[in-house]
Amino acid sequence: MEDIKIHSLDLDGEDLTVFMGFPGSGLVGSIALAHMVDVLEFTHIGNITSKYFPAMAMMVNGVINAPVRIYRKDSYVILISDVPVHPMICYEISNGILDWLEPFSIKEVVVIAGIVTNEPEKRVFGVATDNNSLERIQGHAEILPMGSITGIAGSMLVECKVNGTPSFGLLGETINNPDPRAAASVIKILNQIYGFNLDVEPLIEQATEIEAALQQMAEQVEQAEQAPLKKEQLPMYG
Amino acid sequence: MEDIKIHSLDLDGEDLTVFMGFPGSGLVGSIALAHMVDVLEFTHIGNITSKYFPAMAMMVNGVINAPVRIYRKDSYVILISDVPVHPMICYEISNGILDWLEPFSIKEVVVIAGIVTNEPEKRVFGVATDNNSLERIQGHAEILPMGSITGIAGSMLVECKVNGTPSFGLLGETINNPDPRAAASVIKILNQIYGFNLDVEPLIEQATEIEAALQQMAEQVEQAEQAPLKKEQLPMYG
Amino acid sequence: MEDIKIHSLDLDGEDLTVFMGFPGSGLVGSIALAHMVDVLEFTHIGNITSKYFPAMAMMVNGVINAPVRIYRKDSYVILISDVPVHPMICYEISNGILDWLEPFSIKEVVVIAGIVTNEPEKRVFGVATDNNSLERIQGHAEILPMGSITGIAGSMLVECKVNGTPSFGLLGETINNPDPRAAASVIKILNQIYGFNLDVEPLIEQATEIEAALQQMAEQVEQAEQAPLKKEQLPMYG
Amino acid sequence: MEDIKIHSLDLDGEDLTVFMGFPGSGLVGSIALAHMVDVLEFTHIGNITSKYFPAMAMMVNGVINAPVRIYRKDSYVILISDVPVHPMICYEISNGILDWLEPFSIKEVVVIAGIVTNEPEKRVFGVATDNNSLERIQGHAEILPMGSITGIAGSMLVECKVNGTPSFGLLGETINNPDPRAAASVIKILNQIYGFNLDVEPLIEQATEIEAALQQMAEQVEQAEQAPLKKEQLPMYG
Amino acid sequence: MEDIKIHSLDLDGEDLTVFMGFPGSGLVGSIALAHMVDVLEFTHIGNITSKYFPAMAMMVNGVINAPVRIYRKDSYVILISDVPVHPMICYEISNGILDWLEPFSIKEVVVIAGIVTNEPEKRVFGVATDNNSLERIQGHAEILPMGSITGIAGSMLVECKVNGTPSFGLLGETINNPDPRAAASVIKILNQIYGFNLDVEPLIEQATEIEAALQQMAEQVEQAEQAPLKKEQLPMYG
């Protein structure tokens, strides 16, 4: 029994680009790639399960979804995970996926993730495994000169580097809530690099709704915090 | 030494349906399938043991039972477990069983389990691994549009999905006590789908007895809680 | 390096009966089988060690004993363990032993253990892996209709069941001290089934000594508990 | 999937010297070897990743670096790690690297590390795996007559010893801050032994800056500790 | 990569005796065998490392020592360990060493260790794996009739027993400090059995020094304990 099982159509054709998104800060990778799958109508071609993933089935309209799914359209492949990857098993998952990709003709791997900063902007930061790949994102994303990327995104980039697979990472500036606005920022860059012409308006609308809900929640918290204060103060002057 | 050992007659014949029940909420799967084995007089054809199961033998009339047993009648196979499966080993158990099923002609896998809600109804919820399987239960069970199923039931459905084995799950609405009434609800649906014509009256009677015993226990608890209260109150007014 | 090493003469011949005793409640299995080895003069034919056993050597008259030993006389084989088997490794030990037995002609496996009840009797309870084996002990032991047997005795019975090796278990009613009287009760039943004609008097004498010592210890504890009480009470009335 | 993956050009040629530095006390090995790679313009020829390393990517000018990198110039090979090696996996890492070196013609392995003493000097201590290697450093480093070296440096030296690979260790006397001055001391000895003629002035300048910053920090701490004391004392005399 | 690596010259010749000492109570085995290696001028012929040993290099005169070393002179082989063996891995280490010895002609294995008693004597206790080996030490050591020997010494004796390798253990009565006097007692017995004619005087001198130092330390502790007592008592009478 293999520790990681990949059931998928083979990736025939030449010079494929593989986009990967695992749940992380702001769910940036998952949201951006799910949007891309929906709007560009990618085909579901495969699934991944693993003894390293939690024992859990998730449903969409009553139909079970595999925890990690593989989609394809033309020369583009998308890999979306619904399950976070524990730091202890990133090496196994990264290499399991890259071993599967090995016989196919992969032009580049694009890792999409979030990065938490203390600023409200929605910049997109970029890193790459080699100078050629760095040129691909130069002028589109802000190059992160130094620092470190932890977790499965970091692991995947390192293994691509070691493997000799050209690869770059796009890290949307985000906070710790689901963040469609950061996902939109990443997609704008994918539009520039790949000419996808993907409409980000639906993501902006989602973001506005989430942000309004968070704002409302924050105001209620503020009122709730002020209200009892007044009640407690009243008897003091009574 | 294998980690999971399956000693069983081969599953010859075509288009078999495999029903599986592991102990979980309300023991719905175990109760429903044990009733089906008894009344329809299935034949015991195999056993499963594993290093992942607790070291324990259970007896029925002095005869040792394997922790997981395989039964068959015509094109129906039933797999009942007496031991709960720890979340950490669901992948191993699910795949061990599916690897064993692999050479046989399996039409569909039916996973029966319980689902705890806060409502007293005994509805049956359904999920499936593909749209064809979803149609099989449409109109019989209430389709669970979204959410997640954890544990061995979730794992088995995901692995069937990934495996390409058509599969659906029937989840009887239940509480955390053994719940023959929920098992009866599930069997009514199996009667509809497979034409089993199984009498659920014995399960309803069991349920009535269990419920009466629980009711009595609850009343005794209530009396016990009121009794000392009075004794404590008496001196206060003495 | 194997996890379990069995160095032994092969078990040639037909229709062998294998008796097994691991340390458990009352040490019933170990005491009964050691008595049988001594009185019937079985030959020491093999040893078992394992990475799962504690790192420890035990001596008899200055000579090291293996933790698990195999003895034989005619068509009878005895397997005695000095080391308890941790619940986590019962599957490995049971299957390691059964894998070794596999090429030989085994008629039946007899598992001897203790069972703790709250009653002073020294009954012997019986369970079996199939109806034929159950008939072998019917009328000799009290059949345990339901319940569960944990630990290596339970595991061994389950694996025999799954394996198709006819097997029964004799469980001597015991307490948590070494209990030769319970061992004697089991031997009386072995005498009935196999015609061993083994004298249990030495075990009864041992039991009487142990019981007298325990009784004396209990009385001393009682006196000790009463004595200081008096001393403490004296000054109170002084 | 291998536990340790080494992607590298083969080490052709004869009589190679391999320098190794893992992060440890004072980062002496990493600083010394990184300086050597920069100034002597070694070529990056390979990378190492492992399931034993933390899931993390580090960048240099936006380009991902593998956690352990292999460099070469003429008959000199340098191996630098950015990740510390946990004591539990030193055996695996040491042997993984030595297994990779095995087919090549290795003259000697030089392990560079730090050693914490309570003295302000920047001596360099030396140990070796055999008397010939000890002669190589005699007169250059102070031979450590006895004691023990823990961690990956110790493990690597032991495995070289057992392997029959001539090897010596140079341990720069250091403290627990990054210590370019200790690295400079080690490089002076490498200059003597290998005639590298490497300028250590840049390391001394770095050291001076770090030391000045630490000195300033220490003074601020001192002032901060004295300041509140005065404030607390004032009211006592007020 | 093997878990245990033994790099050694083959043990050619017939009827070899292998002495083994691992660090334990009083370091009796290590001290006795190191003395034998030094005085009789054994040749260092091999080393053992293992993933089970701590990551640590020890030096002698600046030269790294392997954690376990193999020495030989004529038909005598000595195996000395500087590292204690954790109870969980004794099986692996014992069998690793015995698997390596398997192809050679081994007459007997002699395990030397310490045994802590509450008495000041320096007796030597003996156990053996078979009656012939027991006769070898009868009259020289006091036979330990029953009891148990834990740890690597116990494990090695059990595995020799199971393996059919004649073996005996000599256990020097000791305390928990390095105990050359106990080592001397064991060597006197080796002199009797093997006619080594080894001078134990240097060990006795070492023992006298250690004992004097311990005595002095004990007196200082006693004085230190009395001194503050007086100081505390003074004010009470002041």
Side-chain angles (χ1 to χ4, degrees):
Chain A
M1 188 184 311
E2 304 139 276
D3 291 345
I4 299 170
K5 289 201 311 180
I6 302 185
H7 283 80
S8 176
L9 294 184
D10 278 354
L11 300 182
D12 45 15
E14 298 295 316
D15 288 335
L16 308 181
T17 299
V18 183
F19 300 92
M20 299 185 186
F22 285 84
S25 308
L27 298 180
V28 178
S30 312
I31 295 173
L33 293 177
H35 183 65
M36 197 163 142
V37 162
D38 281 354
V39 178
L40 298 183
E41 295 183 339
F42 273 63
T43 308
H44 180 193
I45 63 163
N47 294 300
I48 307 181
T49 60
S50 170
K51 68 175 240 185
Y52 301 118
F53 295 160
M56 188 173 63
M58 279 155 76
M59 290 86 79
V60 172
N61 299 325
V63 176
I64 299 293
N65 244 355
V68 182
R69 296 172 302 283
I70 306 168
Y71 301 90
R72 174 156 189 194
K73 188 179 180 191
D74 307 329
S75 63
Y76 298 109
V77 176
I78 285 180
L79 209 142
I80 298 182
S81 171
D82 288 344
V83 289
V85 178
H86 191 279
M88 294 299 289
I89 56 155
C90 290
Y91 181 84
E92 283 78 2
I93 300 297
S94 296
N95 280 286
I97 291 171
L98 292 180
D99 285 354
W100 171 67
L101 289 178
E102 211 277 323
F104 309 126
S105 164
I106 306 301
K107 186 180 142 208
E108 67 192 359
V109 164
V110 181
V111 176
I112 298 177
I115 187 169
V116 175
T117 64
N118 288 321
E119 302 180 39
E121 293 173 74
K122 292 294 170 193
R123 291 171 295 182
V124 175
F125 295 96
V127 297
T129 55
D130 58 308
N131 284 320
N132 283 345
S133 298
L134 199 66
E135 273 173 33
R136 302 264 301 145
I137 54 174
Q138 209 105 32
H140 302 297
E142 293 192 28
I143 304 306
L144 260 187
M146 54 191 304
S148 64
I149 303 172
T150 54
I152 181 71
S155 169
M156 191 64 83
L157 287 164
V158 163
E159 299 306 322
C160 283
K161 163 88 180 194
V162 167
N163 221 17
T165 306
S167 175
F168 59 82
L170 295 175
L171 311 169
E173 194 170 23
T174 186
I175 46 176
N176 268 324
N177 292 301
D179 190 350
R181 198 176 294 274
S185 298
V186 171
I187 283 181
K188 284 181 200 160
I189 288 179
L190 297 181
N191 280 343
Q192 292 167 18
I193 299 176
Y194 296 99
F196 284 145
N197 206 18
L198 252 169
D199 183 10
V200 301
E201 206 45 53
L203 293 177
I204 301 294
E205 282 167 24
Q206 270 182 44
T208 309
E209 285 170 30
I210 291 175
E211 288 154 7
L214 288 174
Q215 177 61 26
Q216 199 178 350
M217 214 184 296
E219 284 166 11
Q220 287 167 347
V221 169
E222 205 180 351
Q223 287 170 8
E225 282 173 347
Q226 290 173 344
L229 188 65
K230 286 179 193 158
K231 269 163 70 181
E232 281 172 16
Q233 285 174 331
L234 274 175
M236 292 177 71
Y237 297 100
Chain B
M1 189 184 311
E2 303 139 276
D3 290 347
I4 301 169
K5 289 201 311 180
I6 302 185
H7 284 79
S8 176
L9 293 184
D10 278 354
L11 301 182
D12 46 15
E14 298 294 316
D15 287 337
L16 308 180
T17 298
V18 182
F19 300 91
M20 298 185 187
F22 286 83
S25 308
L27 297 181
V28 178
S30 311
I31 296 173
L33 293 177
H35 183 66
M36 196 162 141
V37 162
D38 282 354
V39 178
L40 297 184
E41 295 183 339
F42 274 63
T43 307
H44 180 193
I45 63 163
N47 294 301
I48 307 180
T49 62
S50 170
K51 67 175 241 184
Y52 301 119
F53 295 159
M56 188 174 62
M58 279 154 77
M59 290 86 78
V60 173
N61 300 326
V63 176
I64 299 292
N65 244 356
V68 182
R69 296 173 301 283
I70 306 167
Y71 300 90
R72 174 156 188 194
K73 189 180 180 190
D74 306 329
S75 63
Y76 300 110
V77 176
I78 285 180
L79 208 143
I80 299 182
S81 172
D82 288 345
V83 289
V85 178
H86 191 278
M88 293 298 289
I89 56 156
C90 290
Y91 182 84
E92 282 79 2
I93 300 298
S94 297
N95 280 286
I97 292 171
L98 291 180
D99 285 354
W100 170 67
L101 288 178
E102 211 278 322
F104 310 125
S105 165
I106 306 300
K107 186 181 143 206
E108 68 192 359
V109 164
V110 181
V111 176
I112 298 177
I115 188 170
V116 174
T117 65
N118 288 320
E119 302 180 39
E121 292 172 76
K122 293 294 171 193
R123 292 172 295 182
V124 175
F125 296 96
V127 298
T129 55
D130 58 307
N131 284 321
N132 283 345
S133 298
L134 200 65
E135 273 174 32
R136 301 265 299 146
I137 54 174
Q138 209 104 34
H140 303 297
E142 294 193 27
I143 304 306
L144 261 188
M146 54 190 304
S148 64
I149 303 172
T150 54
I152 181 70
S155 169
M156 190 65 82
L157 287 164
V158 163
E159 299 306 322
C160 284
K161 164 87 180 196
V162 167
N163 220 19
T165 306
S167 175
F168 58 82
L170 295 175
L171 310 169
E173 195 170 23
T174 186
I175 47 175
N176 268 325
N177 291 301
D179 190 350
R181 196 176 294 274
S185 299
V186 171
I187 283 181
K188 284 181 199 160
I189 289 180
L190 296 180
N191 280 343
Q192 292 166 20
I193 299 176
Y194 297 99
F196 285 144
N197 206 18
L198 253 167
D199 184 10
V200 300
E201 206 45 51
L203 294 176
I204 301 295
E205 282 167 24
Q206 269 182 44
T208 309
E209 285 171 30
I210 291 175
E211 288 154 7
L214 289 174
Q215 176 62 26
Q216 199 179 347
M217 213 184 296
E219 284 167 9
Q220 286 167 348
V221 168
E222 204 180 350
Q223 287 170 9
E225 281 173 347
Q226 289 174 344
L229 188 64
K230 285 179 193 158
K231 269 162 72 181
E232 280 172 16
Q233 286 174 331
L234 275 175
M236 291 178 71
Y237 296 101
Chain C
M1 189 183 312
E2 302 140 275
D3 290 346
I4 300 170
K5 289 201 310 180
I6 302 185
H7 283 79
S8 176
L9 295 184
D10 277 355
L11 300 182
D12 45 14
E14 298 295 314
D15 287 336
L16 309 180
T17 299
V18 183
F19 300 91
M20 298 185 187
F22 286 83
S25 309
L27 299 180
V28 177
S30 311
I31 295 173
L33 293 177
H35 183 66
M36 195 162 142
V37 162
D38 282 354
V39 177
L40 297 183
E41 296 183 339
F42 273 62
T43 308
H44 180 191
I45 63 163
N47 294 300
I48 307 180
T49 61
S50 170
K51 67 174 241 186
Y52 301 118
F53 295 159
M56 189 174 62
M58 278 154 77
M59 289 87 78
V60 172
N61 299 326
V63 176
I64 300 292
N65 244 357
V68 182
R69 296 174 302 284
I70 306 167
Y71 301 89
R72 174 154 189 195
K73 188 180 180 190
D74 306 330
S75 63
Y76 299 110
V77 176
I78 286 181
L79 208 143
I80 298 182
S81 171
D82 288 344
V83 289
V85 179
H86 191 277
M88 295 298 290
I89 55 155
C90 289
Y91 181 83
E92 282 79 2
I93 300 297
S94 297
N95 280 286
I97 292 171
L98 292 179
D99 285 354
W100 170 67
L101 288 179
E102 212 278 322
F104 310 125
S105 165
I106 307 300
K107 186 180 143 205
E108 67 191 359
V109 165
V110 181
V111 176
I112 297 177
I115 188 170
V116 174
T117 65
N118 288 320
E119 302 180 39
E121 293 173 75
K122 293 293 171 192
R123 292 170 295 181
V124 175
F125 296 97
V127 298
T129 56
D130 58 307
N131 284 320
N132 284 344
S133 298
L134 200 65
E135 274 174 33
R136 301 265 300 146
I137 54 174
Q138 209 104 33
H140 303 296
E142 293 193 28
I143 304 306
L144 260 188
M146 55 191 302
S148 63
I149 303 173
T150 54
I152 182 69
S155 170
M156 190 64 82
L157 287 164
V158 163
E159 299 305 322
C160 284
K161 164 86 180 197
V162 167
N163 221 18
T165 306
S167 176
F168 57 82
L170 295 175
L171 310 169
E173 194 171 23
T174 185
I175 48 176
N176 268 325
N177 291 301
D179 191 349
R181 198 176 293 275
S185 299
V186 171
I187 282 182
K188 283 181 199 161
I189 289 179
L190 296 181
N191 279 343
Q192 292 167 18
I193 299 176
Y194 296 99
F196 285 144
N197 205 19
L198 253 168
D199 183 10
V200 299
E201 206 47 52
L203 293 177
I204 301 295
E205 282 167 24
Q206 269 182 45
T208 310
E209 284 171 30
I210 291 176
E211 288 155 7
L214 288 174
Q215 176 62 26
Q216 199 180 346
M217 212 183 297
E219 284 167 11
Q220 286 168 348
V221 168
E222 205 180 350
Q223 286 170 9
E225 281 172 347
Q226 290 174 344
L229 189 64
K230 286 180 194 157
K231 268 163 72 181
E232 282 171 17
Q233 286 174 331
L234 275 174
M236 294 177 71
Y237 296 100
Chain D
M1 188 185 313
E2 303 140 275
D3 291 346
I4 300 171
K5 288 201 311 180
I6 302 185
H7 283 79
S8 176
L9 294 184
D10 278 354
L11 300 182
D12 44 15
E14 297 294 317
D15 288 334
L16 309 180
T17 299
V18 183
F19 299 92
M20 298 185 187
F22 285 83
S25 308
L27 298 180
V28 178
S30 311
I31 295 174
L33 293 177
H35 183 66
M36 196 162 141
V37 162
D38 282 353
V39 178
L40 298 183
E41 295 183 340
F42 273 62
T43 307
H44 180 192
I45 63 163
N47 294 300
I48 308 180
T49 61
S50 170
K51 68 174 240 186
Y52 300 118
F53 295 159
M56 188 173 64
M58 278 154 77
M59 290 85 78
V60 172
N61 299 326
V63 176
I64 299 292
N65 244 358
V68 182
R69 296 172 303 284
I70 306 168
Y71 301 90
R72 175 157 188 193
K73 189 180 179 191
D74 306 329
S75 63
Y76 299 109
V77 176
I78 285 180
L79 209 143
I80 299 182
S81 171
D82 288 344
V83 289
V85 179
H86 191 279
M88 294 299 289
I89 56 155
C90 290
Y91 181 83
E92 283 78 2
I93 299 298
S94 297
N95 280 286
I97 291 171
L98 292 179
D99 285 356
W100 171 68
L101 289 179
E102 212 277 324
F104 309 126
S105 165
I106 306 300
K107 185 179 143 208
E108 68 191 358
V109 165
V110 181
V111 176
I112 298 177
I115 187 169
V116 175
T117 64
N118 287 322
E119 303 180 39
E121 294 172 74
K122 291 295 170 193
R123 292 172 293 182
V124 175
F125 295 96
V127 298
T129 55
D130 58 307
N131 284 321
N132 283 344
S133 298
L134 199 66
E135 274 174 32
R136 303 263 301 146
I137 54 174
Q138 209 105 31
H140 303 298
E142 294 193 27
I143 303 307
L144 261 187
M146 54 192 303
S148 63
I149 303 173
T150 54
I152 181 70
S155 170
M156 191 64 81
L157 287 164
V158 162
E159 299 306 322
C160 283
K161 163 88 180 194
V162 167
N163 221 17
T165 306
S167 176
F168 59 83
L170 294 176
L171 310 169
E173 194 170 21
T174 187
I175 47 176
N176 268 323
N177 293 301
D179 191 351
R181 198 176 293 275
S185 299
V186 171
I187 283 182
K188 283 181 201 160
I189 289 179
L190 296 180
N191 280 342
Q192 291 167 19
I193 299 176
Y194 296 99
F196 284 145
N197 205 18
L198 253 169
D199 183 11
V200 299
E201 206 45 52
L203 293 177
I204 301 294
E205 281 166 25
Q206 270 182 45
T208 309
E209 284 170 31
I210 291 176
E211 287 154 6
L214 289 174
Q215 176 62 25
Q216 200 181 346
M217 212 183 298
E219 284 167 12
Q220 286 167 348
V221 168
E222 204 180 353
Q223 285 169 9
E225 281 173 347
Q226 290 173 344
L229 189 64
K230 287 180 194 158
K231 269 164 70 182
E232 280 172 15
Q233 286 174 331
L234 275 175
M236 292 176 71
Y237 297 100
Chain E
M1 190 185 311
E2 303 140 273
D3 291 346
I4 300 170
K5 289 201 312 180
I6 302 184
H7 283 79
S8 176
L9 294 184
D10 277 354
L11 300 182
D12 44 15
E14 297 294 315
D15 287 336
L16 309 180
T17 299
V18 182
F19 299 91
M20 298 185 187
F22 286 84
S25 308
L27 299 180
V28 178
S30 311
I31 295 173
L33 293 176
H35 183 66
M36 196 162 143
V37 162
D38 282 353
V39 177
L40 297 184
E41 296 184 338
F42 273 63
T43 307
H44 180 192
I45 63 163
N47 294 299
I48 307 180
T49 61
S50 169
K51 68 175 241 187
Y52 301 118
F53 295 159
M56 188 173 63
M58 278 154 77
M59 289 87 77
V60 172
N61 300 326
V63 176
I64 300 292
N65 245 357
V68 182
R69 295 173 303 284
I70 306 168
Y71 301 89
R72 175 156 188 194
K73 188 179 180 192
D74 306 330
S75 63
Y76 298 109
V77 176
I78 285 180
L79 210 143
I80 298 182
S81 172
D82 288 344
V83 290
V85 178
H86 191 277
M88 294 299 289
I89 55 155
C90 289
Y91 182 84
E92 282 79 2
I93 300 296
S94 297
N95 280 287
I97 291 170
L98 292 179
D99 285 355
W100 170 67
L101 289 179
E102 212 278 323
F104 309 126
S105 166
I106 306 300
K107 187 179 143 206
E108 67 192 359
V109 165
V110 180
V111 176
I112 298 177
I115 188 170
V116 174
T117 65
N118 288 321
E119 303 181 38
E121 294 173 74
K122 292 294 170 193
R123 291 172 295 182
V124 175
F125 296 96
V127 298
T129 56
D130 59 306
N131 284 320
N132 284 344
S133 298
L134 199 65
E135 275 174 31
R136 301 264 301 146
I137 53 173
Q138 209 104 34
H140 303 297
E142 293 193 28
I143 304 307
L144 261 188
M146 54 191 304
S148 63
I149 303 173
T150 54
I152 181 70
S155 170
M156 191 64 82
L157 288 164
V158 163
E159 298 306 322
C160 283
K161 163 87 179 196
V162 167
N163 221 18
T165 306
S167 176
F168 57 83
L170 295 175
L171 311 169
E173 194 170 22
T174 186
I175 48 176
N176 268 324
N177 292 301
D179 191 350
R181 199 177 292 275
S185 299
V186 171
I187 283 181
K188 283 181 200 162
I189 290 179
L190 296 181
N191 279 342
Q192 292 167 20
I193 299 177
Y194 296 98
F196 285 144
N197 204 19
L198 253 169
D199 183 11
V200 300
E201 205 46 51
L203 293 177
I204 301 295
E205 281 166 26
Q206 269 181 45
T208 308
E209 284 170 30
I210 292 176
E211 288 154 6
L214 289 173
Q215 176 63 25
Q216 199 179 348
M217 212 183 297
E219 284 167 11
Q220 286 166 350
V221 168
E222 205 180 351
Q223 287 170 9
E225 281 173 348
Q226 289 174 343
L229 188 64
K230 286 180 195 156
K231 269 163 72 180
E232 281 172 16
Q233 285 173 331
L234 275 175
M236 293 176 71
Y237 297 101

